[in-house]
Amino acid sequence: MHISDEDELILRLSNHDRGAFEQIFKTYYSDLCKFCMKYVRDEQVAEEVVQEVFINIWERRASLTITTSIKSYLFTAIRNRSFNYLKLQLPKEQKKVDLDGIGFMEEDNREQELVMEELKEYVHSAIETLPNKCRIIFNLSRNAGMTYKEIAEELDISVKTVENQVGLALKKLREQLNPIWDKIMLLLLMDFSGYL
């Protein structure tokens, strides 16, 4: 899309032209959903995030200021809103990630199930105590499946910073979980090294 075309679209949008809004929506919606999926790892959530961004744009159309390209503006908005989702929602979902798939316990062994539930709570609580930036990078690395290079590019930081933050997270988690390290070792044997 040429700059002149974009300028015209933005002008039409600010003048409450629904056609301009629909053109922007149809042009970028699919790619934005795919981009959002890199962060939230849930198709329905990704669609909701993208829809929320477009709703916000329509509601603010009269005062909207876009100094970059429409594409750049939209992808930045999706990235920011995805991070907000991760900060607010991912800790709540932490208990369900990875640990639920560990199957070394027999179904009828309630005692071992209780032990596992206790370990889940310890790990979940420890992750929640991480500094905000550290927790986001750690979750993107361990749960969103992103490489250090991908995280660095998306957060506009160096790969070294990502490595340092993940290292800091691991150090703090080990410190927090030290009192129950003998039990945590069971998780390590169950290939739980993704966390620790």
Side-chain angles (χ1 to χ4, degrees), residues 2 9 12 36 59 95 99 110 113 130 159 178 187:
H2 296 295
L9 266 181
R12 287 169 53 198
C36 188
E59 291 177 343
K95 302 172 192 177
L99 285 168
R110 184 58 185 160
E113 289 178 0
L130 294 174
V159 173
N178 186 57
L187 295 181

Side-chain angles (χ1 to χ4, degrees), residues 7-196:
D7 289 341
E8 180 184 349
L9 266 181
I10 295 171
L11 179 62
R12 287 169 53 198
L13 180 63
S14 65
N15 290 324
H16 317 293
D17 186 332
R18 185 173 290 275
F21 176 78
E22 291 177 352
Q23 183 176 341
I24 296 172
F25 182 88
K26 290 177 181 177
T27 300
Y28 296 107
Y29 180 79
S30 179
D31 287 341
L32 289 171
C33 285
K34 293 175 184 176
F35 179 69
C36 188
M37 273 285 290
K38 288 174 56 180
Y39 299 101
V40 301
R41 299 289 170 174
D42 184 300
E43 186 175 353
Q44 182 176 346
V45 171
E47 291 178 355
E48 290 174 356
V49 168
V50 174
Q51 289 165 12
E52 286 173 4
V53 167
F54 275 107
I55 289 171
N56 182 260
I57 287 174
W58 179 250
E59 291 177 343
R60 295 172 49 242
R61 61 192 180 280
S63 60
L64 193 65
T65 301
I66 299 179
T67 57
T68 60
S69 67
I70 294 175
K71 179 178 180 179
S72 178
Y73 177 88
L74 288 171
F75 276 80
T76 299
I78 293 300
R79 184 182 66 184
N80 292 340
R81 196 168 287 258
S82 295
F83 287 161
N84 288 337
Y85 168 82
L86 290 173
K87 285 188 286 186
L88 295 173
Q89 299 299 325
L90 196 53
K92 299 175 185 177
E93 299 296 321
Q94 196 71 55
K95 302 172 192 177
K96 302 176 184 177
V97 179
D98 292 338
L99 285 168
D100 289 338
I102 297 174
F104 74 95
M105 298 177 297
E106 294 295 332
E107 289 294 327
D108 60 350
N109 194 328
R110 184 58 185 160
E111 182 178 351
Q112 286 187 334
E113 289 178 0
L114 290 173
V115 170
M116 180 56 68
E117 287 300 320
E118 180 184 3
L119 292 178
K120 288 182 185 181
E121 291 298 331
Y122 273 116
V123 174
H124 173 60
S125 298
I127 291 173
E128 285 193 318
T129 65
L130 294 174
N132 190 48
K133 181 179 180 181
C134 185
R135 187 178 71 245
I136 291 173
I137 292 175
F138 181 75
N139 282 327
L140 288 175
S141 171
R142 305 301 177 177
N143 299 315
M146 296 176 67
T147 66
Y148 287 1
K149 185 173 184 293
E150 289 172 336
I151 296 171
E153 290 174 351
E154 294 305 329
L155 296 181
D156 196 24
I157 56 179
S158 69
V159 173
K160 188 65 177 176
T161 298
V162 175
E163 292 175 351
N164 290 340
Q165 288 295 312
V166 172
L168 176 63
L170 295 175
K171 178 182 177 182
K172 287 183 175 294
L173 288 177
R174 288 190 183 103
E175 290 173 354
Q176 293 258 7
L177 298 169
N178 186 57
I180 55 167
W181 195 249
D182 57 330
K183 295 180 181 178
I184 294 299
M185 285 303 294
L186 291 175
L187 295 181
L188 293 174
L189 292 173
M190 292 302 121
D191 205 17
F192 190 55
S193 53
Y195 266 113
L196 310 170

